[in-house]
Amino acid sequence: MSTYRYLWLLLVAMLIPGMAWGAENTVHWMTPHYTFNRTTVIAGARYFADHCMACHSVSSLRYEYLRADLGMTKKEVEKDIMLPNGAAWKGEIVSPMPPDMAAKWLGKPPPNLSHMDRYLGSKFIYTYLLSFYWDPARPSGWNNYVFPMVAMPNVLAPWGGTVGPKGQVIFPGKLSPAEYHKNVADVVAFLRYASDPSYFTRMAIGPYVIGIMVLFTILAYFLKTAYWIDLKKKRSNAHTTG
């Protein structure tokens, strides 16, 4: 690595913590409160399919995973999750919106959300979804405190309501704040699962793996004990005959 490149990387490494510190002091990060279990993730998957999947993909997941990991039946997945776009049961969960049309309509293609939770974290996603405000100057009519000048419109406004730049309520939503925040938290839980779909499988087989390791440790201890007893006997016999 050249000296100039090393100095540039060092400068970036020094600036990033300062940038993060500044962001934390201008944005009030909110923590989603939910229990990370199959019920919550399934609720989030249904809400995501109804309101988000027309634009956003989670292509690291396949529809069949929802049955294998979450326990949903194939009929439930086909009815509640799969969009009527010819999606295959073993296919990836992909938005039906063509990327070129998305770029034309929204300015840029919506991001794939497969690993968004790992990349940005649950707090960021939750706060972002709750931070839209009405801004007539924007092409979509929406802006966001967390992501200024964002291209995405607030598709959840009918349920959460419309607020102005100072937080004033312009139009109330169909849901109460508690109900709306729960739905958003469920979506965050689903995106957390999408970022780590092996979680429930690991939790299911984890106790068995730990049990096998404990059993192996016990057997190894008894084997070691028997080995040293036998070794001591041989040494004792050798001293006696000598």
Side-chain angles (χ1 to χ4, degrees), residues 91-115:
E92 299 172 347
I93 301 180
V94 179
S95 167
M97 182 184 292
D100 56 338
M101 297 303 295
K104 179 180 179 180
W105 295 333
L106 303 174
K108 59 181 66 176
N112 189 312
L113 301 183
S114 293
H115 304 289

Side-chain angles (χ1 to χ4, degrees), residues 10-242:
L10 181 61
L11 176 62
V12 171
M14 293 172 63
L15 287 176
I16 288 177
M19 293 167 61
W21 183 87
E24 289 178 356
N25 281 269
T26 55
V27 177
H28 176 63
W29 300 105
M30 294 178 281
T31 301
H33 298 287
Y34 60 86
T35 302
F36 191 59
N37 54 29
R38 287 181 172 86
T39 301
T40 303
V41 173
I42 290 173
R46 287 177 170 141
Y47 204 76
F48 182 88
D50 287 341
H51 304 98
C52 310
M53 213 162 73
C55 298
H56 293 282
S57 300
V58 279
S59 59
S60 290
L61 288 179
R62 299 179 185 273
Y63 288 103
E64 60 179 336
Y65 293 175
L66 303 181
R67 181 173 68 175
D69 296 338
L70 304 180
M72 298 182 71
T73 65
K74 186 175 181 179
K75 183 178 293 186
E76 287 175 333
V77 175
E78 291 174 343
K79 176 179 178 292
D80 299 337
I81 309 298
M82 295 180 76
L83 296 179
N85 63 334
W89 172 248
K90 293 183 178 293
E92 299 172 347
I93 301 180
V94 179
S95 167
M97 182 184 292
D100 56 338
M101 297 303 295
K104 179 180 179 180
W105 295 333
L106 303 174
K108 59 181 66 176
N112 189 312
L113 301 183
S114 293
H115 304 289
M116 194 59 66
D117 183 81
R118 286 194 175 190
Y119 180 60
L120 295 174
S122 296
K123 284 186 178 182
F124 180 94
I125 298 172
Y126 184 70
T127 307
Y128 167 75
L129 291 175
L130 296 177
S131 295
F132 280 94
Y133 64 92
W134 181 246
D135 184 357
R138 298 292 300 149
S140 67
W142 294 97
N143 212 326
N144 192 285
Y145 296 113
V146 175
F147 198 144
M149 305 303 176
V150 66
M152 173 181 166
N154 184 14
V155 296
L156 302 180
W159 290 266
T162 301
V163 300
K166 296 183 179 180
Q168 70 275 22
V169 177
I170 300 175
F171 298 108
K174 297 179 182 178
L175 302 176
S176 68
E179 291 173 326
Y180 178 61
H181 289 186
K182 178 187 180 303
N183 288 343
V184 174
D186 289 345
V187 172
V188 173
F190 170 70
L191 292 178
R192 177 180 169 186
Y193 158 74
S195 297
D196 185 14
S198 66
Y199 173 85
F200 293 109
T201 301
R202 293 201 317 271
M203 293 300 102
I205 67 174
Y208 298 100
V209 174
I210 293 175
I212 291 173
M213 293 180 66
V214 170
L215 179 61
F216 174 79
T217 302
I218 294 172
L219 292 175
Y221 171 78
F222 283 117
L223 179 63
K224 174 255 185 186
T225 302
Y227 173 80
W228 280 102
I229 290 175
D230 185 60
L231 183 61
K232 288 178 180 179
K233 286 182 179 179
K234 289 181 179 180
R235 287 180 178 178
S236 177
N237 292 336
H239 285 298
T240 303
T241 56

